[in-house]
Amino acid sequence: MRMEECGQVGESGKVGASGQVEESGRVEESEQIEENGQVSARGESARIGASGQVEESGRSEAGERVRESGEIGVGLIGYGYAGRTFHAPVIASVPGLALRAVVERSGDRSKERYPWIRVAKDVAELYDDPTIDLVVIATPSTDHVRFAREALAAGKHVVVEKPMTTTASEADALIALAKAQGRMLSVFHNRRWDGDFLTVRSLLGQGLLGRPVACELRWDGYDPVFVPGNWREGGGPGTGVFYDLGVHLLDQALSLFGMPDAIRGEIRSVREGAAAADSFEVELSYRDGLRVLLGSSRFAREPRPRYALYGTAGSYVKFGTDPQEAALIGGARPGAPGWGREDTAQWGRLNAQVGGLRVEGLVETLPGVYQDYYRNVYDHLSTGAELAVKAEQARDAIRLIELALRSSEERRTLPVAGVTAAKSRGEEQHVSI
């Protein structure tokens, strides 16, 4: 998603009558965390030992209620840029998902567009509500771990805005808790449903480029003057363009090619006064010779291609960005006629040898479908369909972020250890790190 402010819920998640976030840092009665590591929620519990491993768990009726009614009640934490632009409208467009409550730190903007919902001032209201099965966390990334932990302990299924966490160890702890509670944990990697990415995946899946030997994924723009005030650029853990946009590119690379064998990163703060990284160049190396370059610059008045793929049978080059975000900002409803379709001027160019024939020309970009992310979540919870974005996959992207940051600091290429799955092109991978 873009480098915009998303609705921050304060340290305690509680908003007072004045609309200000209280800084008490306390956890409400429904999800008290005791000194001995016991996380308590009304009717459920999950004990977390000193090692961070979940030792025992309870259960809730969320899964059973979903199967009985066919409807999944959703509560959204945060109604800033991410919540109001992506999550709320996409959730509301998916049959079977019922947006019932939104936590806002001040005001009730969500009710203007969704008049049937309840505006909550405390996250505990979502945890305590028996009609809410799924909690969606659309807050600054620094709050993801706490809210996800509380929601899982309360027996809720959870979707977390990307990046999942700031460290792989935090992600592992959440994964363990979700498994102990028997709850779903997924991450909103919506860029897998960008139309251009779907097109790239189709080209590779059909073998139209032959064996890929080089690939470049970029997210450039022109924003050369640093303006303080946005939490994403504050310089704290999980901030900066690499966590914000780089995690999307890493997730796309992992989805296409699997886990690399080595990584080299250069993550920098280029703009004067910048506190967080605002530029990155990362190279992923694969055993068969494939090199995948990921990058972002704030000084690209003339952007480079969004995707550039080169293979033994041809190449594909694509400029521009998926139109869904702009449509959502404009108030369009996902799934409306023409949704996700690109103008012809934005289509990518293919130059390849296909069936013994030289083919050169435009490739119509497949329509983007952000709603398919939440449709898959609904299908997973209601019918047991395979989850498209698994928490383990999101954790792997965070691990690569950590390795790239370390590579940048040490100015050397680092091996990516722990690869346990064969890297077959175009197939989904599960890699333990």
Side-chain angles (χ1 to χ4, degrees):
M1 297 180 186
R2 301 192 321 177
M3 298 283 290
E4 300 282 349
E5 182 71 33
C6 62
Q8 183 166 355
V9 178
E11 185 178 350
S12 68
K14 185 174 179 67
V15 182
S18 65
Q20 299 299 312
V21 179
E22 299 178 2
E23 299 296 335
S24 65
R26 72 187 183 90
V27 182
E28 297 298 317
E29 179 184 357
S30 63
E31 74 281 358
Q32 290 180 351
I33 302 178
E34 302 170 5
E35 293 181 0
N36 64 1
Q38 181 79 23
V39 182
S40 299
R42 302 188 199 281
E44 295 103 38
S45 66
R47 182 178 178 83
I48 303 177
S51 64
Q53 298 299 310
V54 177
E55 298 174 353
E56 58 184 65
S57 67
R59 58 189 297 274
S60 78
E61 300 302 318
E64 290 77 2
R65 184 167 59 252
V66 168
R67 286 189 289 273
E68 290 172 2
S69 70
E71 186 175 75
I72 297 172
V74 183
L76 174 63
I77 301 178
Y79 197 68
Y81 184 81
R84 71 176 183 270
T85 303
F86 290 92
H87 293 278
V90 176
I91 291 168
S93 74
V94 176
L97 292 183
L99 183 62
R100 293 195 169 126
V102 176
V103 178
E104 293 190 58
R105 64 175 177 175
S106 60
D108 55 0
R109 290 180 299 167
S110 56
K111 204 169 184 65
E112 296 173 6
R113 186 169 181 182
Y114 311 100
W116 65 86
I117 62 98
R118 173 168 55 88
V119 176
K121 298 304 178 183
D122 190 325
V123 293
E125 295 181 42
L126 270 58
Y127 308 151
D128 292 341
D129 188 341
T131 72
I132 290 178
D133 312 294
L134 171 66
V135 170
V136 176
I137 300 167
T139 67
S141 54
T142 49
D143 292 327
H144 288 179
V145 172
R146 182 171 64 86
F147 289 135
R149 183 175 60 235
E150 292 172 359
L152 289 168
K156 307 298 185 181
H157 302 288
V158 172
V159 166
V160 183
E161 171 61 35
K162 62 80 205 166
M164 178 184 184
T165 57
T166 60
T167 68
S169 61
E170 291 173 333
D172 283 332
L174 290 181
I175 291 169
L177 179 57
K179 289 180 178 178
Q181 291 291 86
R183 302 295 92 181
M184 182 205 75
L185 175 62
S186 183
V187 179
F188 190 61
H189 274 297
N190 62 308
R191 295 297 174 176
R192 293 192 198 179
W193 286 270
D194 278 356
D196 44 20
F197 177 74
L198 294 174
T199 305
V200 165
R201 189 170 65 182
S202 180
L203 290 171
L204 290 173
Q206 296 180 57
L208 295 180
L209 303 181
R211 179 176 62 84
V213 297
C215 174
E216 187 166 5
L217 285 67
R218 299 202 62 87
W219 202 319
D220 292 327
Y222 187 68
D223 184 21
V225 179
F226 168 70
V227 179
N230 189 321
W231 72 266
R232 295 178 187 271
E233 302 194 60
T239 62
V241 70
F242 192 39
Y243 271 95
D244 184 44
L245 301 183
V247 72
H248 277 311
L249 302 185
L250 284 167
D251 180 73
Q252 289 183 334
L254 288 171
S255 297
L256 293 174
F257 306 116
M259 188 64 72
D261 296 287
I263 187 170
R264 185 176 182 86
E266 183 179 356
I267 295 89
R268 300 186 297 159
S269 297
V270 179
R271 295 175 299 173
E272 183 177 355
D278 56 15
S279 172
F280 66 85
E281 303 290 332
V282 173
E283 180 179 357
L284 309 178
S285 303
Y286 292 80
R287 188 171 291 109
D288 62 1
L290 172 65
R291 295 292 184 270
V292 178
L293 303 179
L294 315 175
S296 179
S297 171
R298 297 292 185 85
F299 292 89
R301 192 185 285 271
E302 289 290 336
R304 285 164 281 192
R306 177 73 172 84
Y307 298 90
L309 292 90
Y310 306 95
T312 55
S315 62
Y316 173 78
V317 177
K318 170 75 170 64
F319 287 83
T321 56
D322 181 273
Q324 293 177 92
E325 182 174 357
L328 288 166
I329 292 173
R333 178 180 173 84
W339 177 262
R341 292 192 176 277
E342 270 193 340
D343 292 337
T344 307
Q346 297 295 319
W347 292 357
R349 178 169 291 276
L350 176 70
N351 189 335
Q353 198 79 13
V354 180
L357 299 174
R358 174 74 176 274
V359 176
E360 183 175 357
L362 299 178
V363 176
E364 181 177 0
T365 305
L366 292 171
V369 280
Y370 287 163
Q371 61 270 31
D372 275 7
Y373 170 83
Y374 273 111
R375 187 175 291 121
N376 171 256
V377 167
Y378 175 81
D379 290 342
H380 174 74
L381 294 178
S382 61
T383 69
E386 183 175 3
L387 192 62
V389 182
K390 300 176 177 63
E392 291 83 358
Q393 297 168 336
R395 182 274 319 275
D396 289 346
I398 299 300
R399 176 61 173 146
L400 289 183
I401 285 180
E402 291 179 315
L403 286 173
L405 290 170
R406 178 183 159 198
S407 166
S408 183
E409 293 174 357
E410 299 179 2
R411 297 187 179 184
R412 66 187 182 98
T413 300
L414 295 176
V416 178
V419 177
T420 60
K423 294 181 291 298
S424 54
R425 302 293 183 232
E427 295 183 3
E428 185 180 61
Q429 313 271 328
H430 173 72
V431 183
S432 298
I433 299 181

